[in-house]
Amino acid sequence: EVQLVESGGGLVQPGGSLRLSCAASGFNFSIYSMSWVRRAPGKGLEWVANIKQDENEKSYVDSVKGRFTISRDNAKNSLYLQMNNLRGEDTAVYYCARDAGESGHYTSNLWGQGTLVTVSS
Amino acid sequence: DIVVTQSPDSLAVSLGERATINCKSSQSVLYSSTNKNYLAWYQQKPGQPPKLLIYWASTRESGVPDRFSGSGSVTDFTLTISTLQAEDVAVYYCQQYYNTPRTFGQGTKVEIK
């Protein structure tokens, strides 16, 4: 079955760290660009970060630059998001998403169920 | 960053009637070298992840019912649900993927009248 399964969410204090993981199965993970997208409670979707197939190119939304790091392990069919110096506004459901597209223009056509990150003291 | 704005924020439509959602980008998302509009529509039902409905502004993703259609170009786009079904109750988002950050509209909640 083609799927993405996130893990690693939970409750963390402001200033703390978490590492999210996303396990891919049922498709050739190594040939796809991948993204993280989040949805804060009562708010809309926000694209967070993207990583190209060979990990050479990474992009981030300004609000997480310098705090979050996206990475992947193609041998393990896994995507990661290291989140440091977490803030209350980072509280959200984080989705792992597979990208589809061309030449730097990507939509996301496969999504995981999401993992909840709550930043609170 | 490209700002994407949807209207309305919510709408209530009777079963079998048409629902129309508008999306406007703050700059063109039409890429001249490909002549494609890099604008997508997603559906998110409660407790579920988003689902891609439309890409390139008007191309339906595989498996998406043909009652969903997308139109528009450059900066102004529309998602139309031709005959609303009960299972279409959801929040709908447009997203530009012309450049990063790939920005979403604020979402439009569609309910049954």
Side-chain angles (χ1 to χ4, degrees):
Chain A
E1 181 184 0
V2 175
Q3 63 178 356
L4 298 168
V5 179
E6 302 95 337
S7 59
L11 175 63
V12 61
Q13 291 187 339
S17 298
L18 273 180
R19 189 193 194 210
L20 305 184
S21 299
C22 171
S25 58
F27 65 96
N28 188 352
F29 176 77
S30 65
I31 68 171
Y32 286 92
S33 170
M34 298 293 295
S35 292
W36 289 99
V37 178
R38 65 186 179 184
R39 185 177 183 185
K43 301 227 173 149
L45 298 171
E46 181 181 39
W47 174 86
V48 173
N50 162 260
I51 186 168
K52 295 295 173 63
Q53 295 87 327
D54 57 6
E55 205 168 359
N56 279 351
E57 286 186 52
K58 304 175 185 182
S59 302
Y60 300 90
V61 68
D62 281 351
S63 59
V64 308
K65 281 180 182 175
R67 300 189 300 122
F68 289 11
T69 301
I70 189 171
S71 63
R72 64 192 295 161
D73 185 335
N74 287 340
K76 295 183 177 180
N77 293 330
S78 293
L79 177 72
Y80 306 102
L81 187 67
Q82 177 67 44
M83 304 185 296
N84 298 331
N85 192 18
L86 283 160
R87 306 167 179 167
E89 55 264 36
D90 297 317
T91 295
V93 174
Y94 285 74
Y95 297 100
C96 164
R98 185 183 73 181
D99 291 341
E102 60 198 11
S103 305
H105 306 285
Y106 297 99
T107 56
S108 297
N109 67 356
L110 178 68
W111 297 67
Q113 289 297 314
T115 187
L116 177 61
V117 172
T118 303
V119 183
S120 175
S121 54
Chain B
D1 298 357
I2 297 176
V3 176
V4 180
T5 305
Q6 293 178 229
S7 62
D9 290 335
S10 65
L11 75 161
V13 177
S14 299
L15 288 173
E17 296 299 305
R18 177 185 299 257
T20 301
I21 302 169
N22 299 303
C23 176
K24 188 173 184 69
S25 58
S26 61
Q27 64 187 74
S28 172
V29 298
L30 174 61
Y31 199 58
S32 56
S33 62
T34 61
N35 199 35
K36 291 175 180 175
N37 288 282
Y38 290 107
L39 190 287
W41 289 95
Y42 296 86
Q43 175 193 64
Q44 187 171 29
K45 297 180 180 180
Q48 295 186 20
K51 174 187 176 182
L52 177 65
L53 296 177
I54 304 277
Y55 58 94
W56 294 338
S58 60
T59 300
R60 265 189 305 276
E61 175 72 341
S62 175
V64 172
D66 61 7
R67 64 180 181 274
F68 292 93
S69 64
S71 62
S73 186
V74 185
T75 60
D76 291 277
F77 303 90
T78 300
L79 175 70
T80 301
I81 310 172
S82 58
T83 50
L84 191 75
Q85 306 297 309
E87 61 264 33
D88 300 335
V89 169
V91 179
Y92 293 83
Y93 296 91
C94 58
Q95 181 201 35
Q96 67 79 20
Y97 55 107
Y98 182 88
N99 61 18
T100 56
R102 300 180 218 162
T103 41
F104 290 89
Q106 78 275 20
T108 296
K109 187 174 185 179
V110 173
E111 299 173 308
I112 305 296
K113 186 187 291 184

